[in-house]
Amino acid sequence: MIPLHLKLSGFLSYADPVEVDFTSFDLACISGSNGAGKSSLLDAMTWSLFGQARKRDDSVINLQSKAAEVAFSFAYEGNRSEERRVGKECRSRW
């Protein structure tokens, strides 16, 4: 699988919308301080494809957001695919 494009908002460390265009580079190094969202990028890809990242529940939703949304496009065996997943807040008011 070759990642092409990733859009996410309200997902783990990313409250605001973020887009990553993987076609604009050949090699990348993801670096940053603890909690900056490095692993969240990989979790977003996994969550869009399989519906789970670190956990299956709404814990992937950023605490400042009401929903998480991820769109991930990739190439596989010459075909282009896109997976999109939205998770809505289901936290109890009690």
Side-chain angles (χ1 to χ4, degrees):
M1 173 182 8
I2 300 169
L4 301 173
H5 199 259
L6 179 67
K7 288 199 262 187
L8 58 148
S9 66
F11 187 84
L12 293 173
S13 302
Y14 297 94
D16 297 324
V18 173
E19 293 188 37
V20 180
D21 181 6
F22 293 99
T23 63
S24 64
F25 51 84
D26 293 323
L27 181 66
C29 172
I30 301 172
S31 65
S33 58
N34 194 19
K38 303 175 297 291
S39 298
S40 297
L41 295 173
L42 299 174
D43 284 335
M45 293 179 210
T46 304
W47 187 67
S48 71
L49 293 170
F50 306 110
Q52 69 181 72
R54 298 172 193 186
K55 295 185 177 180
R56 291 185 187 207
D57 60 11
D58 291 338
S59 64
V60 297
I61 300 173
N62 182 283
L63 295 176
Q64 299 171 356
S65 304
K66 294 187 186 227
E69 183 173 356
V70 175
F72 176 50
S73 61
F74 58 93
Y76 181 70
E77 294 186 352
N79 298 311
R80 181 187 168 115
S81 296
E82 181 170 326
E83 294 295 327
R84 183 174 174 270
R85 189 170 301 273
V86 177
K88 298 197 187 267
E89 180 178 55
C90 297
R91 296 185 183 111
S92 171
R93 293 182 165 197
W94 300 101

